[in-house]
Amino acid sequence: MRNLLKYFKGYIKESLLGPLFKLLEACFELLVPLLIAGIVDQTIPQKDSRHLWQMLLYLVIFAILGVVVAVTAQYFSSKAAVGFTRQLSKELYEKILKLPKSSRDRLGVSSLVTRLTSDTYQIQMGINQFLRLFLRAPIIVFGAIIMAFSIHPSITIWFVMMVLVLSFLIFILSRLVNPLYATMRNMTDTIVNTTRQQLQGMRVIRAFGQDEKEIQDFNRLNDLYKSWQIKTGVWASLMGPSTFLVVNVTLLAVIWTGNQKIQEGILSQGSLVALINYLLQILIELLKLAMLITSLNQSFISAKRIQEVFEEDDEDISKSLAQQEAQSDQAIQVQQMSFTYPEASSTSLKGINFELKSGQTLGVIGGTGAGKSTLVQLLGHIYPVSDGKLAIFLNGKSPKNLKEWRSWVSVVPQKAELFQGTIRSNLTLGLPKVPTDAELWKALGIAQARNFVSEKAGGLDAPVEAFGRNFSGGQRQRLTIARAVLRRAPFLILDDATSALDYLTESKLLKAIHEELIETSLVLVSQRTNSLRSADQILVLDKGEQVALGKHEHLLEVSELYRQIHYSQHREEEV
């Protein structure tokens, strides 16, 4: 956890002042039983009302001062805790963005969201309580023992025995509860992941009438989480009754022993009242200490989960790549390329071979699970190839590093992703230079999105809801294509990005891309053979293997799979 401590930098003053003010509050509280003892032993027997009012005034002053220093301590402690968490959350978010795809897949999106929100908040609560109690609780416990010792040493033995027994109980229960809290954090990840899937797939769930099944799955998971919460709560709740039992037994022993000392004339009644007050102060602080330890245990578990993220290696996008020379006007060269996902049991792509010249179009087609999207991720260097060769070239030169590779490639994914903001902010996302309105409208024209954007109130500044909910599927796809076109990257990859468009709109879009982006090398993944007719080459994939490569007419002659796909879409040609 050493790396996490650096986030206290800038909040050292608050981290010191918070506990110090709590220490001052503890000192005021330790003086109160002595004042009450004086009232019982001197003021009441002497019936000195003037002295009584004077003592009461002191008690009021101590109470006011206690409130002031308590609020001040809370302010500094909260400021330090919130500041720590703000810095931690900021760097954790930046770290997540720097993780390679394989690490994000292994950790899981839901788990990362939980660590970024719930775990950081748990750490904030633990720090806040720690700064307020780590000095106050021990000072009052040991201070009360010392004050009790100054009143009567022999009775103080009961105090020491009580503290030792309670410390042992807290240690044992903490060891039992810690693994349960760790399990609950992991179960929280599972619940978040399940809920996320259900919300994102709500339309599919309703379309297939799976509402009841999903509700049952959620209830089953929730009931399991509930049982673990109850189990954890039962063990954690033993802390309070155990503490009260030990303290009350000690209280009886102190009253019994104190009464004997009073009869022997060794102890005064006021001193016994003071001893009981100190005992109750220890009780309260030990209960708070038990709560603090429980909170710190949860915070420690959350800190370990966050530390796991920080210990992951960043994706080094500036690391030099092996330089390669292109032959002729090559744009993409793939030789015997294979790829296996991390921790996967089987190969996703195997023995892929093709070449693409600058400005040409490569079509990719195949059934579900054929490896089309995997190929797209490899071309974008989201994953490195497992075996074989994959190279891209611009003006005969390969990219110097991963950053340059990705700057050359513009990808439009299967699922159109839009962000809350405006059409303008979505189109200009990630661009180093803000384009002019004319450039924006031109890109929208190429993507066949100009008409519906111009009809929107506000035009380019029309609002976009989160995930583009206020646009249809086809509109979202055309906006993401326009965003990709604006980058003017040498390589444009459309990963089934026209699936929601009608044939006419798709035809116009592809024609505009070929006419306006003459020097751009296009990789078009599609399930429609009509969309791939004009491609210079078409790569046919099946179960991760390359089964054919060539033009449309050639594939109709030599590839049974391509022929089946084509004729399934054109029944009249089959006849």
Side-chain angles (χ1 to χ4, degrees), residues 332-378:
I332 301 177
Q333 184 183 31
V334 177
Q335 295 178 351
Q336 291 299 316
M337 183 183 71
S338 298
F339 174 74
T340 304
Y341 282 101
E343 302 180 8
S345 58
S346 59
T347 302
S348 299
L349 285 177
K350 182 180 180 181
I352 308 299
N353 292 277
F354 66 86
E355 289 186 0
L356 188 70
K357 293 184 178 180
S358 178
Q360 287 188 337
T361 298
L362 172 70
V364 183
I365 195 169
T368 303
K372 303 184 296 297
S373 294
T374 300
L375 177 63
V376 169
Q377 295 193 75
L378 294 178

Side-chain angles (χ1 to χ4, degrees), residues 108-110 189-206 213-214 217-218 221 415:
V109 174
S110 300
D189 289 346
T190 306
I191 290 178
V192 172
N193 183 50
T194 302
T195 307
R196 176 173 170 269
Q197 289 180 355
Q198 290 174 338
L199 291 176
Q200 288 184 336
M202 187 62 69
R203 293 173 63 182
V204 177
I205 292 170
R206 289 177 176 174
K213 178 182 178 299
E214 292 298 325
D217 290 344
F218 180 81
L221 189 60
K415 182 180 179 182

Side-chain angles (χ1 to χ4, degrees), residues 30 115 177 215 234 503 519:
L30 288 173
R115 297 178 202 221
V177 171
I215 291 173
V234 168
Y503 287 108
E519 298 181 356

Side-chain angles (χ1 to χ4, degrees), residues 23-295:
L23 178 60
L24 187 59
E25 179 192 9
C27 294
F28 288 142
E29 290 190 17
L30 288 173
L31 293 175
V32 170
L34 294 179
L35 291 177
I36 294 176
I39 293 173
V40 173
D41 287 340
Q42 300 175 16
T43 307
I44 294 178
Q46 296 175 5
K47 299 182 180 179
D48 188 347
S49 59
R50 183 172 176 276
H51 188 262
L52 176 62
W53 284 108
Q54 185 179 1
M55 292 295 102
L56 291 176
L57 179 61
Y58 287 150
L59 290 175
V60 171
I61 292 173
F62 282 164
I64 294 174
L65 290 175
V67 171
V68 171
V69 296
V71 171
T72 306
Q74 179 65 54
Y75 168 77
F76 286 120
S77 299
S78 299
K79 185 176 180 181
V82 172
F84 176 96
T85 308
R86 183 176 66 86
Q87 293 292 333
L88 175 62
S89 300
K90 176 176 177 292
E91 292 202 17
L92 179 60
Y93 180 70
E94 292 174 354
K95 176 68 178 183
I96 291 173
L97 293 182
K98 295 177 183 177
L99 291 177
K101 184 72 162 54
S102 56
S103 296
R104 293 200 301 271
D105 290 344
R106 187 179 68 258
L107 292 171
V109 174
S110 300
S111 179
L112 290 174
V113 171
T114 304
R115 297 178 202 221
L116 188 58
T117 53
S118 178
D119 285 325
T120 53
Y121 178 73
Q122 185 60 56
I123 291 175
Q124 176 183 318
M125 295 296 294
I127 292 173
N128 194 0
Q129 291 187 10
F130 177 75
L131 293 177
R132 288 188 294 113
L133 296 176
F134 90 98
L135 271 184
R136 172 191 164 85
I139 288 298
I140 285 192
V141 170
F142 292 109
I145 291 175
I146 293 171
M147 298 297 282
F149 185 83
S150 66
I151 295 174
H152 200 284
S154 63
I155 296 181
T156 310
I157 295 175
W158 291 107
F159 285 63
V160 175
M161 292 175 61
M162 177 189 71
V163 172
L164 292 175
V165 171
L166 288 178
S167 299
F168 177 75
L169 283 174
I170 291 173
F171 173 78
I172 294 298
L173 289 175
S174 297
R175 298 283 293 182
L176 291 172
V177 171
N178 278 357
L180 300 178
Y181 281 129
T183 302
M184 286 178 60
R185 301 307 299 175
N186 292 331
M187 291 194 66
T188 301
D189 289 346
T190 306
I191 290 178
V192 172
N193 183 50
T194 302
T195 307
R196 176 173 170 269
Q197 289 180 355
Q198 290 174 338
L199 291 176
Q200 288 184 336
M202 187 62 69
R203 293 173 63 182
V204 177
I205 292 170
R206 289 177 176 174
F208 285 88
Q210 296 298 300
D211 305 60
E212 290 298 324
K213 178 182 178 299
E214 292 298 325
I215 291 173
Q216 290 173 6
D217 290 344
F218 180 81
N219 288 338
R220 176 183 54 78
L221 189 60
N222 209 28
D223 288 341
L224 182 62
Y225 183 67
K226 173 187 171 184
S227 65
W228 276 98
Q229 276 190 317
I230 292 174
K231 184 177 180 180
T232 305
V234 168
W235 283 106
S237 64
L238 293 178
M239 193 80 71
S242 301
T243 303
F244 275 108
L245 175 63
V246 174
V247 171
N248 285 324
V249 170
T250 308
L251 179 61
L252 289 174
V254 169
I255 293 175
W256 178 272
T257 307
N259 183 55
Q260 290 182 336
K261 301 298 181 183
I262 290 173
Q263 292 179 1
E264 296 172 5
I266 301 175
L267 187 70
S268 65
Q269 292 179 346
S271 296
L272 180 59
V273 172
L275 288 171
I276 293 173
N277 275 327
Y278 284 129
L279 186 66
L280 295 177
Q281 283 186 354
I282 292 175
L283 165 64
I284 294 172
E285 294 308 316
L286 285 176
L287 288 174
K288 290 181 180 178
L289 190 61
M291 292 173 55
L292 172 62
I293 291 174
T294 300
S295 179

